């Protein structure tokens, strides 16, 4: 009996949990739907709760030491406490809200290198939390985001990588404790003046705030510097603008103001 209790305390023969997503693809502001399947083990247990959390990888700058950490940024508790008998099946259907500021992981069917996103399932039994089930989630751009990214590709920019940075952008209404940077190699017509271009989207139900950062090349008598641009794109009117022309104009003006030429 003592050995059996010890095995139970170690989780041996305990309940198992599995989450099945109806569709792992979503967009910011949308929902993920599915069912959590909880199966009883070899002995009865009192489950405290079943919860879901949306998690991603975030880069943190801390003095001279930069590191990555797993960041949960949306959470929902699906159940309260319940008794789970040996071999019993307990199914919990759910709809999970995806925040508007959720980072993108996909573009035109291609995964954005550097991005990870998953829906994590938690099961707490006797103050021991099992975080064993993590399901990959693919986040696709909203029409307004896609219009901006497509314009950059049409201008000749090439996707480099994407990551999430811990912190807040000055002057931008932001609810999450981090923001995504999508990095592009410069198009040929800008390559003499630009090292790379970084794009950040901060989205809400009405609009997308777009932040552009240019990493400029230095000249013989000048140092390389960053330049920033910020504008807002309403969801309802995203396709009423020639974004390729707008972005090209802003890039050229920004470069020429710094005395750099093509």
């Amino acid at each position: 009996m003592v050995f059996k209790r010890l095995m139970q305390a170690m989780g041996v023969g305990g309940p198992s949990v599995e989450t099945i997503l109806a569709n792992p693809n979503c967009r910011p502001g949308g929902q993920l739907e599915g069912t959590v399947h909880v199966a009883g083990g070899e002995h009865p247990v009192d489950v405290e709760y079943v919860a879901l959390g949306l998690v991603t990888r975030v880069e943190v700058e801390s003095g001279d030491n930069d590191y990555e950490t797993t960041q949960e940024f949306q959470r929902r508790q699906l159940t309260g406490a319940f008794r789970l008998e040996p071999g019993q099946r307990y199914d919990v259907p759910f709809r999970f809200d995806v925040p508007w500021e959720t980072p993108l992981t996909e573009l035109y069917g291609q995964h954005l290198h550097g991005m990870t996103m998953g829906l994590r399932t938690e099961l707490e039994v006797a103050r021991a939390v099992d975080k064993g089930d993590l399901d990959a989630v693919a986040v696709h751009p909203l029409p307004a985001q896609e219009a901006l990214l497509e314009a950059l590709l049409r201008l000749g920019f090439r996707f480099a990588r994407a990551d999430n940075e811990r912190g807040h952008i000055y002057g931008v209404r932001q609810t999450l404790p981090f923001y995504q940077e999508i990095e592009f190699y410069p198009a040929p017509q800008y390559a003499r003046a630009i090292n790379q271009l970084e794009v950040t989207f901060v989205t809400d139900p009405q609009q997308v705030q777009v932040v552009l950062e240019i990493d400029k090349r230095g000249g013989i008598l000048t140092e390389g510097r960053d330049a920033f641009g910020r504008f807002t794109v309403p969801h309802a009117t995203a396709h009423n603008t020639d974004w390729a022309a707008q972005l090209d104009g802003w890039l050229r003006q920004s470069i020429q103001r710094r005395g750099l030429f093509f």
Side-chain angles (χ1 to χ4, degrees):
M1 180 63 69
V2 173
F3 177 74
K4 185 175 181 180
R5 280 204 286 267
L6 176 61
M7 295 293 283
Q8 291 179 10
M10 294 172 63
V12 178
S16 62
V17 61
E18 180 184 19
T19 298
I20 304 297
L21 289 170
N23 186 346
N25 298 283
C26 65
R27 298 182 189 273
Q31 288 185 325
L32 291 165
E33 299 184 14
T35 304
V36 177
H37 302 292
V38 183
E42 299 176 1
H43 48 82
V45 294
D46 292 315
V47 177
E48 297 296 328
Y49 67 81
V50 176
L52 295 173
L54 197 58
V55 299
T56 189
R57 297 292 291 174
V58 174
E59 293 190 5
V60 181
E61 293 185 5
S62 179
D64 295 330
N65 298 319
D66 297 345
Y67 63 92
E68 283 192 346
T69 185
T70 300
Q71 174 82 55
E72 181 182 87
F73 61 97
Q74 179 79 331
R75 182 179 179 85
R76 182 185 169 195
Q77 185 169 318
L78 300 183
T79 74
F82 62 94
R83 180 78 166 178
L84 190 66
E85 299 296 335
Q88 181 185 357
R89 176 101 170 206
Y90 192 89
D91 294 339
V92 187
F94 66 84
R95 289 184 177 179
F96 187 92
D97 292 332
V98 178
W100 285 95
E101 293 179 24
T102 298
L104 307 179
T105 67
E106 314 292 320
L107 180 61
Y108 295 125
Q110 299 296 316
H111 182 74
L112 297 184
H113 175 68
M115 292 304 303
T116 59
M117 186 75 59
L119 189 65
R120 182 170 61 193
T121 307
E122 290 185 6
L123 175 75
E124 180 174 335
V125 177
R127 295 179 297 280
V129 179
D130 178 8
K131 298 183 179 181
D133 198 22
L134 181 67
D135 295 272
V137 171
V139 186
H140 300 262
L142 292 163
Q145 296 169 324
E146 190 170 21
L148 268 294
L149 295 172
E150 181 181 354
L152 288 173
L153 296 176
R154 283 193 284 122
L155 286 172
F157 285 86
R158 294 176 295 115
F159 172 74
R161 67 183 306 274
D163 61 16
N164 299 316
E165 302 281 344
R166 176 77 60 84
H168 287 77
I169 303 172
Y170 178 78
V172 174
R173 295 189 304 274
Q174 180 185 337
T175 60
L176 295 184
F178 63 89
Y179 56 90
Q180 182 182 37
E181 289 184 338
I182 304 175
E183 301 174 7
F184 290 88
Y185 297 117
Q189 63 269 34
Y190 314 108
R192 291 180 58 190
I194 297 177
N195 279 321
Q196 69 178 18
L197 173 68
E198 296 178 350
V199 181
T200 294
F201 298 118
V202 182
T203 308
D204 63 35
Q206 288 74 42
Q207 61 192 13
V208 180
Q209 298 175 82
V210 183
V211 181
L212 302 176
E213 180 180 354
I214 298 174
D215 180 10
K216 295 183 175 180
R217 295 186 185 277
I220 297 176
L221 301 177
T222 61
E223 294 183 359
R225 294 184 179 179
D226 292 343
F228 296 88
R230 187 171 69 233
F231 53 91
T232 299
V233 183
H235 294 298
T237 60
H239 291 291
N240 296 342
T241 301
D242 184 348
W243 290 112
Q246 292 277 357
L247 291 169
D248 179 67
W250 179 80
L251 288 166
R252 291 178 180 274
Q253 289 177 11
S254 178
I255 292 169
Q256 290 170 358
R257 277 200 301 269
R258 298 284 184 171
L260 299 173
F261 301 93
F262 298 95

